[in-house]
Amino acid sequence: MLAADGTPLKKSLARALRAQKLRALALIAPLLIFVLVTFIAPIADMLFRSVENQIVRDTLPRTSAALATWDAESGDLPPDSAFEALYSDLFLAAEARRHTRLGQRLNYENTGMSSLFRGTGRDVDDFGEANVEMLEDLDDRWEEAEFWISMTSGTGGAAVLDAARERFIRLDDLSTRGPLGDAWCGVKGVFGAPCAVSAEDVDLGFTLSGDFAETFPRTAEAYAEFAVFMAIEEEETVADDEPWEAVYVALDRDLRALSPEELAAYDGPEAEALRAAQAALADVPPVDFRAAFVASDEDWGTVEPWRTIRTYAPPYTTGYFLNAVDMQKTPDGPALRDEDERIYGLLFQRTLFMSLMITFSCILLGYPVAWLLANLPMRTANLLMILVLLPFWTSLLVRTSAWKVMLQQQGVINDVLVWLGLVADDGRLIMINNQFGTIVAMTHILLPFMILPLYSVMQTIPPSYMRAAKSLGATPLTAFRRVYFPQTVPGIGAGSILVFILAIGYYITPEIVGGTTGTFISNRIAYHISSSLNWGLAAALGSILLVVVLVLYWAYDKIVGIDNVKLGG
């Protein structure tokens, strides 16, 4: 069968249907993009932070590689190469002021790491001070930027420069990690404004000699990092300042690694000055990185900080989730924390228990109110409905603060009880800063969310059903239990799931009236986001809470059936 234009009818219908779907998609596209950008992407970014751990690898790349083959179970300190690698990594991180962020991250896993990195970051400039002074005293030219440029410039060392560019850019760009950060960088790139400087865009002001990089690999690497730092962080070139102390220390290591015969064969720029430096360094002991780190802080002489660095060197970690369930990574695998350190399991149990209590309280209080609203004359019902909705017109903070005033020991409720003689003046009830205060205040705040679904369902139940049941001999209680109540179950289900989900994630009310025993897991999540800045742990706690809610939702659907939930009609 053909259409009017001669095409097969089936093909014509498919084309029309496709065009109709495209038009519908175009209509909802703005809203869909808005939801993706403002809702889905932030949630995905936050959930990604619960496993993201790139800061250790990007801040200490050489150290991570050096510790990869170290046996943390042996009880022995890492080899000297690990101390030297840590010096190179930490010097660059300290110059870029990124070492404190790394210390803060590792401090979540091992208390004291923050102060360890902060203190050593201040001292790392002085490592090898005697060797640096020897070179500067040997020849004044070692303190001149032009001398270093002359010695290191040439061609063939592009790979070393590119590696230094990438290393510093990754170190400098830690704040943009995650799905949301990558997406935002992509959006900015469309408009010609990339999120972070690329390696190719960095103008270093010189090119590195391949012969110099091959003969003096440590020096070439350190000088390249200095050049990249000057270009990106200071917006200057290597011609504007003499190199870091780390470059001198690297040169010291390279000169000691070469025999006089090998250095004699080197014919690059300033070769004579390099040979003179090698001869002079023979009278100065080499830099002992192990001793320098231990002198800076004796904790570097223990295996614990090294073990922590090695454990959290991979770019992704389960550490945040283990902490969120009161566990930790150990050399023998995941293990429970000490009993006095287990707080999150208790918080999750308390959150679930109190959310259920609030839900049941709202059912007990909201059911009779909704029944009255559904069975009173319309004029009276509308007036009472205004009273039910009145709390929505009052600030949540004001309502919560009012309960704090009413429930405190010198508050209104205790004063009334004392006045009635039900409570002695010296035996006033403690109803605030505990679970009772949180349940009372949140029941009042969430009660309208239970009443409204119940009312909308009860309004659709014809009064004739109850009259018919009574006329057939049923008592009022039996008629209610067998006829009326089953028809209100969808409203109870809708109100319960609404109140429970709102309660389990509440923050302000438990924070104000909960004290130490009435707070929810959401309060701890907020603490880690705003105070401790442990966003990874906050994301892990939030992920677990999300999974718990989804599991309970699934169980609710299996038991009650989500299709039976009604908000009205």
Side-chain angles (χ1 to χ4, degrees), residues 103 107 111-120 122 297 299:
N107 198 70
T111 303
M113 294 292 285
S114 180
S115 59
L116 179 64
F117 273 92
R118 189 164 54 248
T120 308
R122 290 192 297 265
D297 195 307
D299 284 348

Side-chain angles (χ1 to χ4, degrees), residues 109 312 318-319 321-339 341-342:
E109 316 300 338
Y312 292 93
T318 58
F321 279 103
L322 290 175
N323 287 337
V325 293
D326 295 325
M327 299 181 72
Q328 60 184 339
K329 281 188 173 183
T330 67
D332 300 324
L336 279 172
R337 291 187 176 274
D338 294 337
E339 193 167 350
E341 296 179 357
R342 301 175 195 170

Side-chain angles (χ1 to χ4, degrees), residues 67 91 94 103 110 125 134 137 178 200 225 324 335 473 484 495 521 525:
L67 293 177
F91 194 100
N110 184 5
D125 282 347
M134 190 282 303
D137 294 341
E200 293 76 13
E225 289 178 352
Y484 191 82
I521 193 66
I525 294 172

Side-chain angles (χ1 to χ4, degrees), residues 23-323:
R23 282 195 300 271
L25 182 62
L27 288 173
I28 67 167
L31 178 60
L32 181 62
I33 294 172
F34 176 80
V35 171
L36 287 173
V37 172
T38 62
F39 183 70
I40 303 298
I43 290 178
D45 181 72
M46 196 62 189
L47 295 180
F48 175 75
R49 291 177 186 273
S50 64
V51 296
E52 188 269 336
N53 191 52
Q54 298 179 22
I55 184 172
V56 179
R57 182 196 63 179
D58 290 344
T59 310
L60 306 176
R62 303 179 187 90
T63 311
S64 299
L67 293 177
T69 57
W70 171 58
D71 183 9
E73 304 299 324
S74 65
D76 297 329
L77 288 175
D80 290 339
S81 59
F83 285 89
E84 182 180 354
L86 180 60
Y87 169 77
S88 301
D89 289 334
L90 189 56
F91 194 100
L92 175 60
E95 290 292 336
R97 296 179 178 85
R98 301 294 188 272
H99 64 298
T100 54
R101 190 187 305 177
L102 170 66
Q104 185 180 39
R105 163 67 187 98
L106 294 177
N107 198 70
Y108 300 147
E109 316 300 338
N110 184 5
T111 303
M113 294 292 285
S114 180
S115 59
L116 179 64
F117 273 92
R118 189 164 54 248
T120 308
R122 290 192 297 265
D123 298 339
V124 74
D125 282 347
D126 298 330
F127 292 6
E129 184 178 10
N131 305 64
V132 174
E133 290 178 353
M134 190 282 303
L135 283 174
E136 293 176 342
D137 294 341
L138 177 66
D139 191 328
D140 291 340
R141 292 185 301 165
W142 286 108
E143 299 182 66
E144 298 174 1
E146 294 79 5
F147 175 75
W148 281 92
I149 294 175
S150 170
M151 181 173 60
T152 58
S153 293
T155 59
V160 178
L161 290 175
D162 288 342
R165 287 188 184 102
E166 294 294 343
R167 186 178 299 116
F168 184 82
I169 288 170
R170 289 187 67 83
L171 176 65
D172 192 50
D173 193 34
L174 289 171
S175 60
T176 61
R177 299 295 156 80
L180 186 59
D182 293 341
W184 179 237
C185 290
V187 171
K188 292 177 69 177
V190 172
F191 296 97
C195 186
V197 64
S198 65
E200 293 76 13
D201 295 333
V202 181
D203 181 15
L204 303 180
F206 91 113
T207 55
L208 185 66
S209 166
D211 291 338
F212 182 85
E214 183 178 354
T215 309
F216 307 97
R218 296 182 182 88
T219 311
E221 192 175 69
Y223 194 69
E225 289 178 352
F226 166 71
V228 172
F229 175 86
M230 293 293 290
I232 296 179
E233 199 81 0
E234 303 293 337
E235 297 184 355
E236 297 176 354
T237 65
V238 291
D240 297 314
D241 203 354
E242 66 173 304
W244 290 331
E245 292 83 355
V247 181
Y248 291 91
V249 173
L251 180 62
D252 174 79
R253 300 289 292 176
D254 282 333
L255 289 173
R256 293 179 188 276
L258 292 170
S259 66
E261 294 76 17
E262 290 174 323
L263 187 57
Y266 178 72
D267 59 355
E270 312 299 345
E272 288 299 326
L274 288 167
R275 283 189 276 271
Q278 186 187 51
L281 284 171
D283 299 328
V284 181
V287 179
D288 188 342
F289 294 104
R290 183 189 296 263
F293 273 102
V294 174
S296 174
D297 195 307
E298 60 184 14
D299 284 348
W300 290 116
T302 64
V303 298
E304 288 305 321
W306 298 98
R307 187 178 288 164
T308 302
I309 294 172
R310 185 183 185 279
T311 301
Y312 292 93
Y316 303 102
T317 180
T318 58
Y320 291 123
F321 279 103
L322 290 175
N323 287 337

Side-chain angles (χ1 to χ4, degrees), residues 358-441:
I358 292 165
T359 303
F360 290 136
S361 300
C362 286
I363 293 173
L364 292 175
L365 295 176
Y367 198 94
V369 174
W371 183 86
L372 281 173
L373 291 173
N375 290 277
L376 285 174
M378 185 62 67
R379 182 184 181 89
T380 308
N382 288 340
L383 181 61
L384 293 179
M385 181 59 73
I386 292 175
L387 298 179
V388 171
L389 298 175
L390 191 60
F392 287 129
W393 305 337
T394 309
S395 168
L396 173 63
L397 190 60
V398 171
R399 282 180 280 162
T400 304
S401 301
W403 275 111
K404 193 172 183 68
V405 172
M406 293 179 65
L407 293 174
Q408 62 184 336
Q409 284 189 289
Q410 302 300 323
V412 176
I413 296 178
N414 264 305
D415 285 344
V416 171
L417 293 175
V418 170
W419 179 71
L420 292 174
L422 298 176
V423 173
D425 189 47
D426 58 349
R428 289 171 176 258
L429 302 178
I430 301 176
M431 297 181 291
I432 200 68
N433 296 330
N434 52 28
Q435 294 187 18
F436 178 81
T438 301
I439 291 172
V440 169

